Amino acid sequence: MNVVSSVESVRPTSKRRAGGKVKRMPREVRERQMLDAAVEVFARRGYNAASMDEIAELAGASKPLVYLYLHSKEDLFSACIRREADALTAALRAVIVPGVPADRRLWNGLLAFFAHTAEHPAGWAVLSCQARTHGEPFAPVVAELRQEIAGLVTRLIEETAEAAGCTVPPREAAGLAHALVGAAESLAGWANAGAGDGGRSESETAAMLMNVVWVGLESLMNGRRWPQTARP
């Protein structure tokens, strides 16, 4: 028996128009529905406890059809991680544009980050928690995402220093960028966890981190550093 015919016979992916004509759902639309459902289930249940039956039911498809399109639970989870990572980086790149002062670009980036993670809490849960929990082959995608975002922030720090007539060593700029990314990730988890209790808006959350980061960078640009001699 043909596999495709067998799967489609379980739950057709088409809708009947008036007059009896059949309109088949485009594959990309069906896959998007499956990924949307999978992200919700993985975020709620975790990778191990997530059921392909539940994902299929939420997507309005048959389980054989999910397997036909996305092959396996591991492949489905990988596709979810990749999609959510791409969406987050696209949101950041859309607002961190040349020709804008460095502080405004940093603010725009933080605001976009917190807005995106607040608007897509399930996607952020998959990226920030589920993908890291299960290691290979999922963790490298998240590591790549963090590296890309950290690269954007590193360039912002270097350009900020250059505009101020200062120089920040590349290693220090990269370290500061990774620290900022880690702080933003942690703060996003905190903000999303309290969203149901009337927590802060994304602009308030972004301002919290911006106040710390920008004041610190400003001090650094002006040569004011923590006096290490004061350490015990």
Side-chain angles (χ1 to χ4, degrees):
M1 180 182 294
N2 181 274
V3 174
V4 176
S5 299
S6 174
V7 171
E8 296 292 349
S9 66
V10 176
R11 187 186 295 265
T13 60
S14 59
K15 293 183 178 180
R16 190 168 296 279
R17 295 175 177 174
K21 293 183 179 180
V22 173
K23 181 182 179 181
R24 189 170 296 277
M25 184 179 292
R27 181 187 180 103
E28 61 271 18
V29 174
R30 175 60 81 186
E31 286 190 0
R32 183 171 65 249
Q33 291 176 339
M34 293 177 182
L35 290 174
D36 288 344
V39 167
E40 291 295 328
V41 175
F42 284 133
R44 184 170 63 250
R45 304 284 192 195
Y47 177 74
N48 290 330
S51 163
M52 293 293 278
D53 289 297
E54 184 178 3
I55 292 171
E57 182 178 359
L58 187 59
S62 66
K63 185 165 73 170
L65 190 60
V66 175
Y67 278 115
L68 177 67
Y69 278 23
L70 295 158
H71 312 303
S72 69
K73 183 178 178 180
E74 181 178 301
D75 288 341
L76 177 57
F77 192 53
S78 294
C80 290
I81 295 169
R82 175 57 66 185
R83 189 187 74 163
E84 298 306 315
D86 288 346
L88 178 55
T89 54
L92 296 178
R93 289 189 175 281
V95 299
I96 303 178
V97 294
V100 178
D103 64 330
R104 180 53 52 178
R105 277 184 289 161
L106 181 58
W107 165 252
N108 290 343
L110 287 175
L111 188 58
F113 177 84
F114 290 119
H116 185 88
T117 54
E119 291 167 6
H120 304 86
W124 178 241
V126 168
L127 282 176
S128 64
C129 181
Q130 299 300 331
R132 293 177 182 174
T133 301
H134 298 284
E136 295 286 351
F138 311 123
V141 179
V142 180
E144 181 182 330
L145 168 68
R146 294 187 84 250
Q147 188 59 48
E148 183 171 359
I149 296 175
L152 292 173
V153 177
T154 299
R155 288 192 291 276
L156 281 178
I157 292 173
E158 292 173 337
E159 290 168 8
T160 299
E162 183 179 348
C166 306
T167 300
V168 176
R171 182 177 177 82
E172 185 172 0
L176 290 171
H178 278 276
L180 174 56
V181 171
E185 291 174 348
S186 179
L187 197 54
W190 172 81
N192 285 355
D197 301 323
R200 295 178 182 272
S201 67
E202 52 266 25
S203 60
E204 290 174 314
T205 307
M208 290 172 62
L209 188 54
M210 186 70 182
N211 285 334
V212 174
V213 172
W214 193 254
V215 170
L217 283 176
E218 188 176 44
S219 294
L220 187 63
M221 297 306 104
N222 291 322
R224 296 194 299 272
R225 294 173 178 264
W226 174 55
Q228 295 187 37
T229 53
R231 290 186 298 178

